[in-house]
Amino acid sequence: MLPGVRPGALSGIHNLSARDSGDHSQSTHPSPRASHWDGNSASELPAAFAPLNLPPPEEYFQRKVALISGITGQDGSYLTEFLLEKGYTVHGIIRRSSSFNTGRLHHLYEDQHERPNKFHLHYGDLTDSTALVFLMARILPTEVYNLGAQSHVKVSFSLAEYTADVDAIGTLRLLDAIRTCGLTKHCRFYQASTSELYGLVQEVPQSETTPFYPRSPYGVAKLYAYWITVNYREAYGMYAVNGILFNHESPRRGRTFVTRKITRAVAEIYEKKQACLWLGNLDAQRDWGHANDYIEGMWLMLQGQGLPEEPPTDFVLATGETHPVREFVEKAFGVVGIKLAWSGSGLDEEARDVNTGKVVVKIDPQYFRPAEVELLLGNPAKAERMLGWKRKVNFEDLVKEMVEADLTAVRNFVEDQN
């Protein structure tokens, strides 16, 4: 059963505008006079609505309160655990249709006696500006992590408008909610960008300076989100950063994503509950890391990059190595002792189990994208240098962990909600 909304810890902070308190002289965000403001003067931009009587940012940040959109997804569940271990109070935005059992969120909520009043879930949606402003004003977060998105690339071709509304304009709504609530200097913002921004890659490997060329409605929507984050950083002095994360996977990955589709199918084929795995482009190459490694990088981006005088900036998180889908398939089957023999080509290519002769992998045209992204390979040098971040789990161990987790799930008749 989903929990109700719980208010954040607002100790020492008064949610009062100068007008409400009767003291007009104390407003730190005076509204411009309508008769004089022409809408162009940077010095007379419209003030935030209902400014709060907040302590200085240094004191405010000591509260360690995080707000996460997309908290029920793979990254959201790992980030929640990570922040709770660091003593944060964590608030998550969930949609009415969200699966509360995704990842370990259900267990975290049930185990609140271990961390009283540290984990809260609130109904909301990135398509609802009013809800976002309400939550921002009520929770008063010190850090906002925007992980929420329609994140399936192939699906974005079918739901292009919805993807734009959530992934692009949803980011704008969150940024505007921060500004509307007068938290421009009191809240740090992380935007989950993606390697899909590079699309038809202009250089190999891809870094923070590589030109973008998205090849899907998802990538295009994320491109808007990237640049609106940069724009609000530059226009309003917000601490807002983009984390351009290359593919990161785990046993918590949704089953519609190719890596999890592969590992679940391998487990079910091994347990004789499925006959064959159907895939699309086997030659697409990706830079695959473990999601749990990337969570620390997200957090580090909001802690100040090295020295206080260094301004917020954007980072690539990646492993620096790339592998084709075909290799992922071979490694996954190898975990259960199945060796593959490939035959045919193009749409007729297939793979047989060497021991049994049975076809266990075939190609289905429906899984090809209208515009393919053939190669993604990230250069994490900047993050390694400035954040001290480096991935820990290698490719082989990632595949092994995912297959073994799915084997356990299949044997115990566990169906996740993704």
Side-chain angles (χ1 to χ4, degrees):
M1 183 176 181
L2 289 171
V5 174
R6 295 190 177 191
L10 307 181
S11 176
I13 297 178
H14 303 287
N15 191 355
L16 294 172
S17 67
R19 180 181 66 254
D20 293 334
S21 64
D23 184 0
H24 295 265
S25 65
Q26 296 301 312
S27 175
T28 57
H29 301 276
S31 299
R33 289 172 294 175
S35 59
H36 291 86
W37 184 59
D38 61 5
N40 296 313
S41 173
S43 62
E44 292 186 337
L45 286 172
F49 176 75
L52 307 173
N53 295 326
L54 301 174
E58 297 76 15
E59 179 183 343
Y60 180 89
F61 284 127
Q62 293 176 9
R63 294 170 54 245
K64 297 172 69 173
V65 178
L67 175 61
I68 303 173
S69 71
I71 195 169
T72 60
Q74 167 189 256
D75 292 3
S77 65
Y78 280 119
L79 181 60
T80 298
E81 293 171 354
F82 179 88
L83 294 176
L84 287 173
E85 288 299 319
K86 288 194 170 293
Y88 280 71
T89 298
V90 177
H91 295 260
I93 299 174
I94 56 173
R95 294 175 298 152
R96 179 63 185 87
S97 58
S98 293
S99 169
F100 187 45
N101 291 314
T102 301
R104 291 188 58 202
L105 289 182
H106 181 73
H107 301 290
L108 288 171
Y109 189 80
E110 292 297 321
D111 293 342
Q112 282 207 77
H113 61 278
E114 297 179 5
R115 302 183 184 92
N117 300 316
K118 285 292 187 177
F119 180 49
H120 311 277
L121 296 173
H122 310 265
Y123 285 118
D125 199 291
L126 290 174
T127 63
D128 190 331
S129 299
T130 302
L132 297 178
V133 171
F134 173 80
L135 290 175
M136 202 71 65
R138 190 175 194 189
I139 295 167
L140 296 177
T142 57
E143 298 173 7
V144 172
Y145 295 86
N146 184 27
L147 312 183
Q150 191 300 103
S151 56
H152 198 287
V153 178
K154 181 67 164 61
V155 171
S156 75
F157 286 95
S158 300
L159 299 176
E161 181 180 344
Y162 174 76
T163 301
D165 193 18
V166 175
D167 299 13
I169 306 304
T171 303
L172 172 62
R173 292 184 183 107
L174 262 181
L175 287 165
D176 249 352
I178 293 172
R179 197 174 72 86
T180 298
C181 294
L183 299 176
T184 304
K185 303 299 182 184
H186 289 75
C187 181
R188 295 179 174 181
F189 179 82
Y190 172 84
Q191 168 58 22
S193 286
T194 170
S195 57
E196 290 288 332
L197 293 175
Y198 299 115
L200 188 62
V201 297
Q202 304 299 292
E203 66 179 12
V204 180
Q206 295 91 53
S207 70
E208 293 82 2
T209 59
T210 301
F212 298 132
Y213 196 138
R215 298 266 283 170
S216 65
Y218 169 74
V220 172
K222 282 289 191 175
L223 184 61
Y224 177 92
Y226 174 93
W227 282 116
I228 200 65
T229 299
V230 172
N231 180 252
Y232 270 57
R233 179 170 72 212
E234 296 176 350
Y236 303 114
M238 292 177 64
Y239 194 110
V241 303
N242 285 287
I244 307 174
L245 273 56
F246 280 65
N247 294 65
H248 45 290
E249 317 296 324
S250 77
R252 301 183 190 179
R253 188 57 133 163
R255 288 178 62 180
T256 58
F257 291 84
V258 67
T259 51
R260 185 74 198 295
K261 177 182 178 181
I262 292 168
T263 61
R264 184 71 178 204
V266 166
E268 294 190 345
I269 289 171
Y270 181 75
E271 292 293 325
K272 297 180 173 54
K273 296 184 178 181
Q274 180 174 329
C276 186
L277 166 63
W278 294 83
L279 292 171
N281 185 3
L282 292 171
D283 296 317
Q285 298 185 59
R286 294 293 184 266
D287 185 324
W288 276 304
H290 196 296
N292 208 23
D293 287 345
Y294 288 60
I295 296 307
E296 182 182 20
M298 296 179 187
W299 176 77
L300 286 170
M301 291 180 207
L302 296 192
Q303 308 314 305
Q305 285 94 45
L307 301 173
E309 61 268 21
E310 291 178 346
T313 184
D314 307 315
F315 290 94
V316 163
L317 297 186
T319 69
E321 61 183 56
T322 188
H323 303 269
V325 174
R326 185 190 311 275
E327 183 182 355
F328 197 105
V329 172
E330 292 171 344
K331 295 284 187 185
F333 275 101
V335 174
V336 296
I338 297 177
K339 185 177 180 180
L340 300 180
W342 297 92
S343 63
S345 62
L347 297 179
D348 295 323
E349 188 171 13
E350 60 185 25
R352 295 178 181 272
D353 180 339
V354 170
N355 294 325
T356 66
K358 292 182 179 179
V359 175
V360 291
V361 181
K362 297 195 75 171
I363 303 301
D364 189 331
Q366 71 169 319
Y367 295 124
F368 283 81
R369 302 177 186 177
E372 285 286 349
V373 174
E374 298 294 346
L375 170 65
L376 292 175
L377 172 62
N379 178 4
K382 180 180 176 182
E384 292 175 356
R385 182 180 72 254
M386 295 182 64
L387 302 178
W389 178 87
K390 195 172 181 65
R391 68 91 178 256
K392 301 179 181 67
V393 181
N394 63 32
F395 177 71
E396 289 76 12
D397 289 342
L398 168 65
V399 177
K400 185 173 184 289
E401 180 185 340
M402 292 180 67
V403 172
E404 289 179 344
D406 272 320
L407 276 171
T408 300
V410 169
R411 289 165 179 167
N412 289 284
F413 306 98
V414 175
E415 291 287 342
D416 58 42
Q417 303 299 311
N418 290 321

